[in-house]
Amino acid sequence: MTTLPVGYESYWMLSAAAARRPPLEPGSSLRADVAVVGGGVAGLSAAWELTRAGLRVAVLESDRLAAGVTGHTTAKLSALHGLMYSWLRSVRDAEDARLYACSQQDAVEHVADVAEELGVDCEFERVPAHTCVESEEHEDEIRAEASAAADAGLPASFGTDTGLPFPVRAAVRVENQAQFHPRKYLLGLADDIERRGGLLYERTRVVGLDEGEPCRLATENGAEVVARDVVVATHYPVFDRALLFSRLVPRRALVISALLPQDEDPAGTYLLPERGTRSVRTAPYPFTPGQRLLIVTGETFTPGTRGIGSVAARYERLAAWTYQRFPSARLAHRWATQDNDTTDRLPYIGRFHPASEHAWVATGFGGWGMSSGVLAGRLLSAHISGAPLPPWARLYDPVRLRPREAPALLRIQSAVARRYVGDRLRPSYVDSVDEIAPGTGAIVRVSGRRCAVHRTPEGELRALSPRCTHLGCLVRFNDAEAAWECPCHGSRFGTDGGVIQGPATRPLEPRDLGEE
């Protein structure tokens, strides 16, 4: 068995401390031109652009800035997104592929320009990006992607030589892409937002939105924010009126990092979509001379589903792959991230719903949140400030609905219905709380009703309602991260019931195991 790091902590979080911002005062009232809900890459990018446009902006983050999904990403900054261009060319057209490439590459360049302008040392490095396969079976797909990406305007080429320490059958290579430290970059934006008069609030969970004129936001602690425009940038939208939950599929991915001798750096970013998908990059590691930090992600799954083995077993598989392919690697950290896929593989950036006049959304980045989050900030700022929209704005309009999306919509809703109904037909996941080992959790029927029960490593039992407070699906326990997860829409809760990740905004209700 592979020896894994003991803790679960993102390297980005460990290596970039931040000044704490205060919460919005309970019961207070605040006015702004624009309120941004969410302090990740999309929210802070939008806030920075809007502040630069001369608007008074308030950012409301439920936890800490740049500490959610953005603080746990792999932070590849690239316009090469798997096999996206051959897919776009086949199901849309060559012009849409060109516009997609233009928008994504523009985001890469924008990060470089902003980091230089603000003097942010975010470890920005120019590297080539690759999508690789190891089997002859998929070689033609790589050739098609290289051709489509080049036709879309990217500096793309087909080849077999890479910086990886193992052979590949075929690879798309796109020059002039990047990798960076996402948290250092975004904390630099946050500091500049404040210098320009913007307001940043942490530990301020928004639970209500009134789309009047002006818009009004209600927070968990009774505060109110009044703004002409509202940007919902919470990764997964926390308001259901747009029904985007019917068009989004959450997926979780595991990440490990390892120290690697600097002379073994593969010098690029790599995506290997075969056999469970693996993503590889490196980062500077100033704490140990002569070493780089190898970052590998993969083992994707829907939060709260059983899948193939436990989450802990998935970490073991990811670590085993890393040791096999990079024998000199020595594991250092492990964490996990979460993404949302849309029904047509393009993000939703624009009007929150067809009737929206002053509510805007950015979501569905499909694993490419760094470039898509940055372009979301620029696009939403143009919408709100009245600046000319870029030609690629229509690609990301959330109101779009194409006939090709119908089968995907049906699959999403069928899967949610199966989970919602099937979980209720299953009597329980264990027969007694006595079966729950220390450090684990399970659904168990106690005195005639289901409870989500976790036993701490010290043996204490904690019982909660197993019904997700978003739409009522039953949660399941993630053994590796000690969290309750909803398989329907990806909400995550701590063992105390507190919300870790939306769309849920309310905690799981506590239960007394002694109640009848």
Side-chain angles (χ1 to χ4, degrees):
M1 180 177 291
T2 306
T3 301
L4 290 166
V6 175
Y8 297 88
E9 191 74 44
S10 159
Y11 171 71
W12 313 125
M13 297 297 296
L14 288 170
S15 57
R20 293 178 178 245
R21 271 76 179 190
L24 197 57
E25 288 291 329
S28 64
S29 182
L30 172 71
R31 287 187 173 269
D33 295 323
V34 184
V36 176
V37 186
V41 60
L44 288 174
S45 295
W48 187 79
E49 302 287 349
L50 289 162
T51 303
R52 298 266 293 191
L55 297 175
R56 178 177 167 82
V57 180
V59 177
L60 311 172
E61 165 57 43
S62 64
D63 190 15
R64 299 296 184 195
L65 296 176
V69 171
T70 299
H72 293 77
T73 178
T74 53
K76 295 194 296 185
L77 189 59
S78 173
L80 180 64
H81 297 171
L83 303 177
M84 188 67 170
Y85 294 99
S86 54
W87 181 85
L88 275 172
R89 190 165 66 176
S90 66
V91 303
R92 304 283 283 267
D93 55 41
E95 176 62 8
D96 281 359
R98 186 189 70 80
L99 290 173
Y100 186 84
C102 179
S103 66
Q104 297 290 333
Q105 187 64 39
D106 179 77
V108 175
E109 303 307 323
H110 192 60
V111 171
D113 292 343
V114 171
E116 182 177 6
E117 176 187 342
L118 299 183
V120 178
D121 181 11
C122 61
E123 302 170 8
F124 185 91
E125 297 177 317
R126 289 285 187 180
V127 293
H130 308 76
T131 299
C132 312
V133 296
E134 298 177 76
S135 65
E136 183 179 2
E137 177 185 359
H138 299 288
E139 180 178 339
D140 289 345
E141 296 173 25
I142 295 296
R143 289 186 181 277
E145 182 65 15
S147 173
D151 289 346
L154 295 178
S157 60
F158 173 86
T160 58
D161 293 331
T162 71
L164 293 170
F166 53 89
V168 301
R169 177 75 186 193
V172 184
R173 178 185 174 106
V174 174
E175 305 293 344
N176 208 31
Q177 303 306 291
Q179 55 193 16
F180 72 138
H181 193 304
R183 186 164 159 81
K184 289 182 178 180
Y185 173 76
L186 291 174
L187 294 177
L189 290 191
D191 290 341
D192 197 54
I193 290 168
E194 287 186 318
R195 282 193 293 267
R196 295 174 179 275
L199 304 171
L200 303 175
Y201 296 98
E202 296 181 325
R203 298 292 168 89
T204 301
R205 186 177 298 280
V206 174
V207 296
L209 167 63
D210 178 353
E211 290 186 58
E213 293 190 16
C215 298
R216 295 178 183 273
L217 290 169
T219 71
E220 188 177 47
N221 67 1
E224 179 185 65
V225 179
V226 180
R228 187 192 69 192
D229 290 275
V230 169
V231 171
V232 181
T234 54
H235 188 64
Y236 198 118
V238 294
F239 307 113
D240 290 335
R241 69 196 61 181
L243 300 181
L244 287 177
F245 63 82
S246 67
R247 302 168 66 192
L248 291 169
V249 179
R251 60 180 162 93
R252 199 146 181 83
L254 306 185
V255 187
I256 60 173
S257 72
L259 298 186
L260 188 72
Q262 195 160 350
D263 59 4
E264 296 182 25
D265 182 4
T269 67
Y270 299 87
L271 182 72
L272 296 95
E274 297 175 291
R275 305 182 186 93
T277 302
R278 296 291 184 260
S279 172
V280 175
R281 64 157 287 193
T282 65
Y285 195 74
F287 309 106
T288 305
Q291 300 286 306
R292 295 275 292 182
L293 194 69
L294 176 70
I295 300 171
V296 181
T297 186
E299 293 296 324
T300 60
F301 59 97
T302 301
T305 55
R306 294 176 182 276
I308 305 172
S310 68
V311 177
R314 292 178 182 275
Y315 271 116
E316 293 284 355
R317 287 196 293 273
L318 191 60
W321 184 92
T322 301
Y323 275 135
Q324 180 186 30
R325 301 308 179 93
F326 297 88
S328 301
R330 295 295 176 264
L331 294 186
H333 316 89
R334 59 170 160 168
W335 67 91
T337 188
Q338 196 153 312
D339 294 304
N340 297 309
D341 298 311
T342 69
T343 49
D344 67 354
R345 298 176 63 176
L346 294 172
Y348 300 135
I349 307 168
R351 291 177 295 163
F352 193 27
H353 55 79
S356 288
E357 295 183 6
H358 295 286
W360 310 88
V361 71
T363 189
F365 298 149
W368 303 103
M370 295 298 98
S371 58
S372 293
V374 170
L375 78 85
R378 304 192 78 190
L379 178 52
L380 293 177
S381 178
H383 275 296
I384 293 168
S385 68
L389 294 178
W392 37 264
R394 64 173 176 81
L395 282 183
Y396 302 107
D397 185 356
V399 179
R400 71 184 186 268
L401 189 62
R402 296 174 175 270
R404 288 180 180 269
E405 288 188 67
L409 281 167
L410 289 174
R411 284 195 299 272
I412 292 171
Q413 295 314 302
S414 295
V416 169
R418 285 195 302 273
R419 291 168 189 145
Y420 189 89
V421 175
D423 283 351
R424 282 155 177 76
L425 296 177
R426 195 177 291 116
S428 65
Y429 300 147
V430 298
D431 295 325
S432 167
V433 294
D434 294 337
E435 298 180 40
I436 301 173
T440 67
I443 305 297
V444 60
R445 189 179 292 278
V446 179
S447 300
R449 65 176 182 172
R450 291 183 181 88
C451 295
V453 181
H454 168 248
R455 189 184 296 275
T456 69
E458 296 74 29
E460 178 188 353
L461 292 173
R462 296 174 177 173
L464 304 163
S465 166
R467 292 171 60 91
C468 175
T469 56
H470 175 225
L471 292 179
C473 291
L474 297 188
V475 298
R476 290 178 178 168
F477 195 69
N478 177 328
D479 59 329
E481 298 177 83
W484 295 102
E485 299 177 339
C486 175
C488 292
H489 305 109
S491 295
R492 304 180 68 244
F493 306 86
T495 55
D496 63 353
V499 177
I500 297 174
Q501 195 159 349
T505 59
R506 293 177 291 112
L508 297 177
E509 297 177 2
R511 287 202 168 161
D512 186 341
L513 290 176
E515 290 183 2
E516 292 296 326

